[in-house]
Amino acid sequence: MPTPFDQMLASAVLEMTGEASVPATLERVVALVLDTVESCDAAAVLLFDRTPVTVVASDESLRELVAEHVQRESAPAWTARTHQEPVYSGNLARDFRWPTLGEELSGRLGIHSVYALPLTLTHQSLGVLVAYGKAVDAFDAEDQETA
């Protein structure tokens, strides 16, 4: 029997099929993540199908910052895509993997946590969905499963 989340996701997918463009669809995905993941304060979807990478985010400052760091191959989204596995940091300001981005996200935008989930289709990497939280250790196991 479908859960309420399953029903909500199915409804969202049906609604998105009517979107006029890829960016409009990605904006709906970002909105869905913000509505669904309780601890999520910002979100982004990145598509790696062209250069520069397509970045759609809930906030323009976040979009610019993430796009810049992805181009440098120094961002949680890049790591998730490269290793094809979810990436989590509960304290970006102290995470040695992306020191510059961590400092900028926490200092400029007040974001301390990130969960990056690779988007794949039959072993083909399409992009990455990224949830951001303002709290340290914002995403618990349930939040990560929901994303």
Side-chain angles (χ1 to χ4, degrees), residues 16-31 45 56:
M16 283 185 236
T17 60
E19 293 295 345
S21 66
V22 171
T25 301
L26 297 178
E27 287 171 7
R28 293 290 299 268
V29 171
V30 166
V45 177
V56 175

Side-chain angles (χ1 to χ4, degrees), residues 65 68-69 72 99-110:
L65 194 58
E68 174 187 332
H69 283 273
R72 291 192 228 157
T100 306
L101 178 64
E103 287 177 19
E104 291 181 26
L105 283 173
S106 61
R108 286 175 38 193
L109 302 177

Side-chain angles (χ1 to χ4, degrees), residues 57-129:
S58 55
D59 174 272
E60 183 60 22
S61 297
L62 175 63
R63 189 200 66 73
E64 291 172 0
L65 194 58
V66 169
E68 174 187 332
H69 283 273
V70 166
Q71 293 303 324
R72 291 192 228 157
E73 300 179 5
S74 177
W78 184 264
T79 303
R81 176 185 182 244
T82 302
H83 297 285
Q84 283 301 293
E85 59 186 32
V87 172
Y88 177 69
S89 176
N91 191 343
L92 284 165
R94 295 189 176 173
D95 198 314
F96 68 91
R97 295 174 288 182
W98 320 283
T100 306
L101 178 64
E103 287 177 19
E104 291 181 26
L105 283 173
S106 61
R108 286 175 38 193
L109 302 177
I111 292 172
H112 297 283
S113 297
V114 63
Y115 181 64
L117 182 66
L119 303 172
T120 58
L121 181 63
T122 60
H123 306 292
Q124 179 185 0
S125 176
L126 301 175
V128 179
L129 170 67

Side-chain angles (χ1 to χ4, degrees), residues 3-6 8-9 29 31-40 115 117 119 129 131 139-147:
T3 66
F5 177 74
D6 293 338
M8 186 268 311
L9 187 58
V29 171
L32 179 64
V33 171
L34 288 170
D35 289 343
T36 307
V37 181
E38 189 174 325
S39 301
C40 184
Y115 181 64
L117 182 66
L119 303 172
L129 170 67
F139 304 112
D140 59 20
E142 184 178 332
D143 288 329
Q144 293 179 34
E145 182 66 29
T146 301

